[in-house]
Amino acid sequence: MISVVIPTYKEPDYLDVCIESILSGQKHKNEVVVVVDGTKDINQQVLDKYKDKITAIVFEENYGQIKATNIGVCSSSNKNILIVNDDNVFPKDWDSILLGNYD
């Protein structure tokens, strides 16, 4: 399985599409870790929408993409970690494709 780490800042519309494509396109139950970098109020609606399907880490202030990414990686529970920006869109069976190429 894969832990997908998504650092995000001020793009809730992109984040919503990204998470939806991850969840709907996966074949396996992967972990999705969203790290909100100081913009909880802007992203709260998306976090609420997926609250039972993702792990959300929220910074009260902006620390930057590198720190957000590092915290997301350290919080991941799988050995395979994929770091993506919040504006990525995943194709169908994306996880099987990645794991197949990894093996």
Side-chain angles (χ1 to χ4, degrees):
M1 295 219 257
I2 302 170
S3 291
V4 182
V5 176
I6 310 168
T8 190
Y9 184 58
K10 290 185 177 179
E11 298 295 342
D13 294 334
Y14 292 151
L15 178 62
D16 188 18
V17 171
C18 181
I19 295 171
E20 181 61 34
S21 70
I22 291 169
L23 298 174
S24 65
Q26 68 184 358
K27 244 183 162 172
H28 310 283
K29 186 164 174 48
N30 300 291
E31 175 184 41
V32 179
V33 179
V34 177
V35 184
V36 179
D37 194 13
T39 54
K40 181 181 180 184
D41 54 333
I42 295 171
N43 292 287
Q44 189 62 55
Q45 187 174 358
V46 177
L47 297 178
D48 290 344
K49 180 177 178 181
Y50 298 104
K51 67 181 175 189
D52 297 330
K53 299 176 182 178
I54 67 169
T55 300
I57 300 168
V58 180
F59 295 159
E60 293 301 319
E61 59 184 89
N62 178 260
Y63 291 109
Q65 185 176 13
I66 293 171
K67 184 170 184 171
T69 301
N70 287 340
I71 294 296
V73 168
C74 290
S75 301
S76 298
S77 61
N78 294 314
K79 102 177 169 175
N80 296 313
I81 298 173
L82 178 63
I83 301 165
V84 298
N85 293 328
D86 55 10
D87 62 352
N88 286 310
V89 177
F90 287 68
K92 184 178 187 290
D93 298 335
W94 64 268
D95 53 348
S96 293
I97 294 166
L98 284 176
L99 291 171
N101 287 333
Y102 181 75
D103 291 336

